[in-house]
Amino acid sequence: MSETATAAASGASATERFHADKSPFEAVKDTPPERVDALARAVLDSVYATIREQRVTYDEYNALKAWLINVGQDGEWPLFLDVWVEHVVEEVATDHREGSKGTIEGPYYVPGAPERGAKASVPMRENEAGTPLHWTGTITSTDGTPLEGASVELWHADSDGFYSQFAPGLPEWNLRGTFTVGADGVFEIETVQPAPYQIPTDGSCGKLIAAAGWHAWRPAHLHVKVSAPGHEQLTAQLYFPGDEHNDDDIASAVKPELVLDPQKQADGSATVDYGFVLDPVTSAKD
Ligand code: MBD
Ligand code: FE
């Protein structure tokens, strides 16, 4: 096996990972035909409108067909959808919330990261590169009550921009951990600052980016899922001030509320305080 990360390899991992979770079809198995009809029609109507408006040619239609086939062969559907579509789904799904802002999950979440307790380091290599980050925060409900038993699942890229389980040569759970809090709701996490991340440029998504004259960058980010009994799970990403891609994230996933305010320390490390407020699950959501 090659030691370099390729689009096809990380795409294959992301596709396999997605299928390994419980079937996504299960949750929608009772969807009435009227709903499927409305969704499929609306998507097709917007495609027809584009073809007419742009006067799409047969050459362009055939190139699209070939490209769509290649996205699947590269295993890049998870990447494509999470980069260019998920942010609007997240917007609609969470616009009723009063608690912390969230953002997209992206393609590299893996459930079941090792439990570390409330105050601990994320699993990392000896001499893991990158600025050490000492992160404290409290998990509360919207009424301010600390949420005992709540947990933060943290995952992020290393200082070269690689995610464990999606790039070769990294320990299985590197920079992936679960932190469960006690009655005070407080966590204290040691990690390292990740690097800005460039989505794979050697696959079909990269081909689109090059052909359209776009860039492939996401700003450096920490991914989290925050869960507590009786509360809506929060999926978020946290960003670092001054990153040049905070304003032009290819995945459109940056929100001002998600930018951290780290304080540089004399020893070169950084400390940051950032907590989470979760919305209680309510039966009526309107
Ligand atoms: C990532 O790391 C990511 O977070 C997203 C949303 C897309 C591609 C790579
Ligand atoms: Fe990411």
Side-chain angles (χ1 to χ4, degrees):
M1 194 185 175
S2 143
E3 282 299 299
T4 47
T6 62
S10 73
S13 305
T15 298
E16 193 190 317
R17 173 75 257 145
F18 189 68
H19 286 303
D21 288 335
K22 87 173 164 22
S23 170
F25 298 122
E26 190 57 28
V28 295
K29 66 180 189 316
D30 299 326
T31 305
E34 293 74 24
R35 172 72 175 164
V36 181
D37 173 68
L39 294 178
R41 248 174 223 291
V43 171
L44 289 171
D45 282 346
S46 61
V47 172
Y48 306 150
T50 302
I51 295 167
R52 292 193 177 107
E53 181 195 296
Q54 300 290 329
R55 300 195 57 79
V56 171
T57 67
Y58 257 100
D59 285 344
E60 289 168 337
Y61 172 69
N62 285 325
L64 172 67
K65 213 164 164 178
W67 182 80
L68 290 170
I69 291 165
N70 290 343
V71 174
Q73 284 173 347
D74 292 343
E76 284 199 333
W77 280 117
L79 180 67
F80 175 85
L81 289 164
D82 295 348
V83 165
W84 285 297
V85 179
E86 188 186 355
H87 69 100
V88 190
V89 180
E90 192 275 338
E91 172 191 313
V92 170
T94 63
D95 64 3
H96 63 283
R97 287 188 183 170
E98 288 167 15
S100 299
K101 287 273 183 245
T103 190
I104 66 174
E105 175 176 319
Y108 301 142
Y109 170 65
V110 182
E115 173 64 50
R116 310 291 285 178
K119 299 181 181 178
S121 164
V122 78
M124 63 171 92
R125 291 164 288 185
E126 237 179 279
N127 304 318
E128 184 75 42
T131 302
L133 184 67
H134 179 84
W135 172 20
T136 54
T138 307
I139 309 173
T140 63
S141 188
T142 45
D143 68 2
T145 320
L147 291 171
E148 180 171 13
S151 63
V152 178
E153 290 172 87
L154 169 68
W155 74 101
H156 63 88
D158 66 14
S159 73
D160 292 322
F162 294 120
Y163 285 87
S164 59
Q165 302 188 39
F166 297 91
L170 295 169
E172 187 178 19
W173 295 103
N174 206 53
L175 304 177
R176 295 176 182 274
T178 304
F179 303 84
T180 301
V181 302
D184 61 0
V186 173
F187 59 85
E188 254 186 75
I189 299 172
E190 302 289 343
T191 188
V192 292
Q193 276 185 219
Y197 176 88
Q198 193 175 25
I199 74 162
T201 51
D202 60 324
S204 295
C205 290
K207 237 182 173 155
L208 170 62
I209 288 166
W214 300 341
H215 73 75
W217 291 96
R218 297 215 59 221
H221 56 281
L222 304 170
H223 290 269
V224 291
K225 276 185 186 286
V226 188
S227 321
H231 288 73
E232 294 187 32
Q233 185 180 60
L234 172 70
T235 300
Q237 298 181 31
L238 303 173
Y239 304 95
F240 296 87
D243 190 307
E244 62 172 311
H245 298 294
N246 282 346
D247 295 326
D248 68 345
D249 176 14
I250 187 160
S252 311
V254 181
K255 301 177 186 179
E257 299 87 345
L258 300 174
V259 180
L260 297 168
D261 183 21
Q263 305 296 313
K264 213 91 211 151
Q265 302 301 302
D267 65 358
S269 69
T271 61
V272 70
D273 190 26
Y274 191 98
F276 300 102
V277 180
L278 302 187
D279 282 65
V281 174
T282 54
S283 36
K285 250 187 241 156
D286 52 353

